Amino acid sequence: LDLTEKALEAALSQTVVVCVNRVGVNLNTTSAKLLSFVSGLNRKQAESIIEARGRKKDEKFKKREELLEIKGIGEKTFKQCAGFLRITDGEEWLDNTHIHPESYEKTKKLLKIIGCHPKDFISHSKPFDLQQLLLPFDLDVLASKLDLGLPTLKDILLNLEKPGLDPREDLSKPSFRSGIMKLEDLKKNQIMTGTVRNVVDFGAFCDIGLKEDGLLHVSQIFNEDGKRVLTPFEVVSVGDVLQLKILDKDLQKRRISLAMVTNQDQYEPFQSTTERKRSASGVPKKKIKTSQ
C-alpha cells in the first residue's frame, strides 16, 4: 500500500486525536505536544497551559476552571476541551472524570436525589452499588427532573460508576497458550486467541500474547457468511477478540502473518491452480491440521 508522507502523517495525527480524547489527559503531567491533540486546543494554547502550570504552586492546577485565567483560553475553548482534561488530586473530585464542568451542578443534584454522598466516590470509604441505588428511579423521569438529555445522564452515570476510568482497562487481554512465549515457538496453522490493537486499511494488528503483534491482512478477514471483505473496518475494530491462525512467521524481520478462523476452517487462504480445480470438480480437498 503506497501512501504519501503527508497522507500518512494526517492519518496518524487523526488516530492520536481520537485516542487522546477517548482516554483523556492528566492536566498536571501531560506534555504540550500531547495536549495539542485535545479537542479545542492548538499548539500555542497547549504551550500556554504548560507555561501557566509551571508558574503554579507545586506546578499543579487545582481545578479545571483555572484554565480560564490563561490568556488565549476563552469560554468557547474551555467548553470544548474541559471534559478531556483530568486533575486527579484537585479540589473538585469531578475534575477526575469525563463529566463536563457545565454538568457539575446537575451531577451533584443527581447524587442528592439517589441518596449518594460525593465522599463515597472520593475515598471509597464504603462499598456502594450505583445500579442498586438507581432501581427505584425511571431514567427518563430522572433526566427530565434534572433537565438533561437521556444520553447525557447515561454518560454521567457511567463516569460516576467508574470515576477516573481509563477505557483501555476494558480491552480484553490476549489468552496465552501454554508453552508459547516467543516468536520461535509458533507453528504454522496453529490456532491462537488474539486481541485487535489497531485497524488500518490493509488489515489489523493483533496481540497474541507475544512481544510482536501479528498482521491479519485484509485478504484473510471474513464476514459472517465466510466471504472476504473489501475493508477490515467492515468486520473488526480495536478491542475485538478473535480466533486466529498462524499463516507464517519471519524470524529475521520478526513478523507474524495471521488469518481469521471461520466456522468452516477447512479453507486454504491461498489455493494453487490445482487445488482450485480439485475444489471445483467436487474432489474433497485436504484439510488443514491445527495444533491444539
Side-chain angles (χ1 to χ4, degrees), residues 78-94:
F78 180 75
K79 186 174 182 179
Q80 287 180 299
C81 72
F84 306 111
L85 306 175
R86 299 192 181 197
I87 299 176
T88 59
D89 53 355
E91 296 176 358
E92 173 56 72
W93 68 277
L94 287 171

Side-chain angles (χ1 to χ4, degrees), residues 45-56:
Q45 290 170 322
E47 290 174 349
S48 295
I49 291 174
I50 299 302
E51 289 174 5
R53 186 180 70 192
R55 295 192 295 268
K56 293 282 184 181

Side-chain angles (χ1 to χ4, degrees), residues 70-82:
I70 301 172
K71 185 178 180 180
I73 307 294
E75 290 284 352
K76 183 178 179 180
T77 298
F78 180 75
K79 186 174 182 179
Q80 287 180 299
C81 72

Side-chain angles (χ1 to χ4, degrees), residues 189 191 245 260-267 287-288 290:
N189 297 329
I191 304 297
K245 180 172 11 183
M260 181 182 287
V261 174
T262 64
N263 292 331
Q264 302 161 338
D265 196 40
Q266 290 84 13
Y267 74 91
K287 291 185 179 180
I288 294 175
T290 58

